[in-house]
Amino acid sequence: MNCTLCTTPLTDRIDESYFDCPVCRGLVRDLRFYPDRDEEKAQYLAHNNDVNDPRYQKFVSPITNYILQNFNAGHQGLDFGSGTGPVISKMLLDEGYDIVQYDPYFANHPQLLERRYDYVVACEVVEHFYDPLKEFQKLHGLLKEGGTLACMTLLYHEKVDFETWHYRKDPTHVFIYRAETFRYIAEQLDFSGVHIQDRLITLKK
């Protein structure tokens, strides 16, 4: 198997389910353990994502606060992978922001991928990418010059007990990132910069 981000042949494993890529430093789920489309959708539907739940709103606040602080209602945004409960969109729309939703299962509006945006948000999305190179190329292309991609995902580092980590146990998490992985993505796809603050990662075009 080759790394789904950088195409490096994979031989080293971090456990029985994930390879450890020595080049991009991503953790790549073995293809034998990928869920099929029905299993993946069922997992998403099992999430109780109530857009009015204050706990859910607090969870996504790193992204919403970033957008509110760095963009205004005149900017155009895309909630990529908005899921069953597009809470980020709800919170920003409540503030008068211009944001639309795309999700391959729950808001499948491919025409929105023909436009360009001042910002794209992807909250708890990138770890589900079967082909992260293709998906990040797509996200880069969705941005206007000077636009920002704001992702939220948990990053692996050596202090994490990978075997017991809840992120590793989710069957739909097929690619897990280190900080080095996002720096690799920024360099390879010509993002002008990457900033990492805990689980919020922003990349500028």
Side-chain angles (χ1 to χ4, degrees):
M1 179 178 173
N2 292 342
C3 178
T4 52
L5 175 60
C6 69
T7 73
T8 300
L10 297 171
T11 57
D12 297 334
R13 292 179 178 268
I14 193 168
D15 69 4
E16 70 279 3
S17 300
Y18 283 87
F19 289 99
D20 191 351
C21 181
V23 175
C24 71
R25 306 295 287 136
L27 302 175
V28 190
R29 186 181 284 273
D30 192 316
L31 283 171
R32 295 177 300 163
F33 303 114
Y34 276 38
D36 63 31
R37 186 176 176 86
D38 289 340
E39 291 170 337
E40 185 178 34
K41 186 175 182 179
Q43 181 77 11
Y44 298 154
L45 287 169
H47 296 167
N48 183 23
N49 294 337
D50 179 357
V51 297
N52 296 306
D53 184 346
R55 294 170 300 177
Y56 190 25
Q57 294 182 358
K58 182 178 180 181
F59 176 74
V60 303
S61 63
I63 280 187
T64 54
N65 288 341
Y66 179 86
I67 299 302
L68 291 169
Q69 292 165 9
N70 291 277
F71 297 90
N72 60 49
H75 292 118
Q76 295 179 316
L78 174 67
D79 188 349
F80 186 88
S82 50
T84 57
V87 64
I88 292 172
S89 289
K90 193 267 186 196
M91 294 172 70
L92 293 176
L93 287 167
D94 285 351
E95 296 292 331
Y97 276 59
D98 179 5
I99 185 167
V100 292
Q101 301 81 49
Y102 173 80
D103 188 285
Y105 288 117
F106 308 110
N108 192 6
H109 309 301
Q111 69 275 15
L112 296 178
L113 304 182
E114 302 300 318
R115 294 165 50 183
R116 298 294 176 267
Y117 301 89
D118 298 292
Y119 61 89
V120 176
V121 299
C123 181
E124 294 290 314
V125 171
V126 299
E127 62 274 11
H128 302 282
F129 285 167
Y130 285 23
D131 188 342
L133 176 60
K134 178 181 177 181
E135 297 295 340
F136 275 101
Q137 287 172 334
K138 180 189 301 179
L139 291 167
H140 184 276
L142 287 168
L143 292 169
K144 298 177 182 178
E145 288 301 321
T148 298
L149 170 63
C151 304
M152 205 171 80
T153 189
L154 285 180
L155 300 179
Y156 174 73
H157 53 81
E158 274 57 37
K159 292 183 180 179
V160 172
D161 184 348
F162 193 71
E163 183 177 355
T164 62
W165 195 28
H166 74 280
Y167 230 55
R168 168 236 182 273
K169 293 182 178 181
D170 188 320
T172 64
H173 289 181
V174 297
F175 195 101
I176 294 174
Y177 303 75
R178 290 179 170 92
E180 297 96 318
T181 315
F182 274 100
R183 288 192 279 270
Y184 174 89
I185 290 167
E187 181 178 346
Q188 294 297 313
L189 296 185
D190 292 326
F191 284 100
S192 64
V194 57
H195 180 72
I196 299 171
Q197 185 174 4
D198 194 21
R199 55 197 173 105
L200 176 66
I201 302 97
T202 54
L203 300 106
K204 291 189 179 295
K205 184 171 179 177

